[in-house]
Amino acid sequence: MSVRVVRWAAALGLGALWWWAVLRLALVPDAGVLEGAVAAGGWGLSLLPVHCVPKTRAAGAVDAQRWAEAWRAAARPTTAWPPRHSDAGSGPS
């Protein structure tokens, strides 16, 4: 048996189990914790990103060193705030 057949069988089996749990929750009044756990678990797994690539291979990815430089530059004060006035005695009092 090839790996592809095993993957498809596992996907179909787990999908059928999830649909069983969801339909049982919706249609049967005595559905309980087991069905809820299976339905919530399957829904939670659907939120995982499955089409990820390493950052080094991603199109348009920014190098980690560049992010570190940007954070350091943002942390450095560039100008004094509030601005200092040349004549300190003429301001409102």
Side-chain angles (χ1 to χ4, degrees):
M1 209 165 19
S2 73
V3 175
R4 178 178 271 178
V5 172
V6 172
R7 284 184 187 167
W8 272 101
L12 288 174
L14 292 173
L17 178 67
W18 184 81
W19 275 107
W20 166 81
V22 169
L23 291 175
R24 187 160 162 83
L25 278 172
L27 302 174
V28 177
D30 65 342
V33 176
L34 176 65
E35 292 86 352
V38 170
W43 179 79
L45 285 175
S46 72
L47 298 177
L48 291 175
V50 293
H51 299 291
C52 296
V53 295
K55 192 183 268 192
T56 56
R57 290 181 41 203
V62 178
D63 185 30
Q65 183 62 32
R66 187 170 168 198
W67 280 109
E69 290 171 6
W71 278 104
R72 281 193 296 269
R76 280 192 304 259
T78 55
T79 59
W81 187 259
R84 295 182 185 161
H85 298 287
S86 58
D87 44 4
S90 64
S93 44

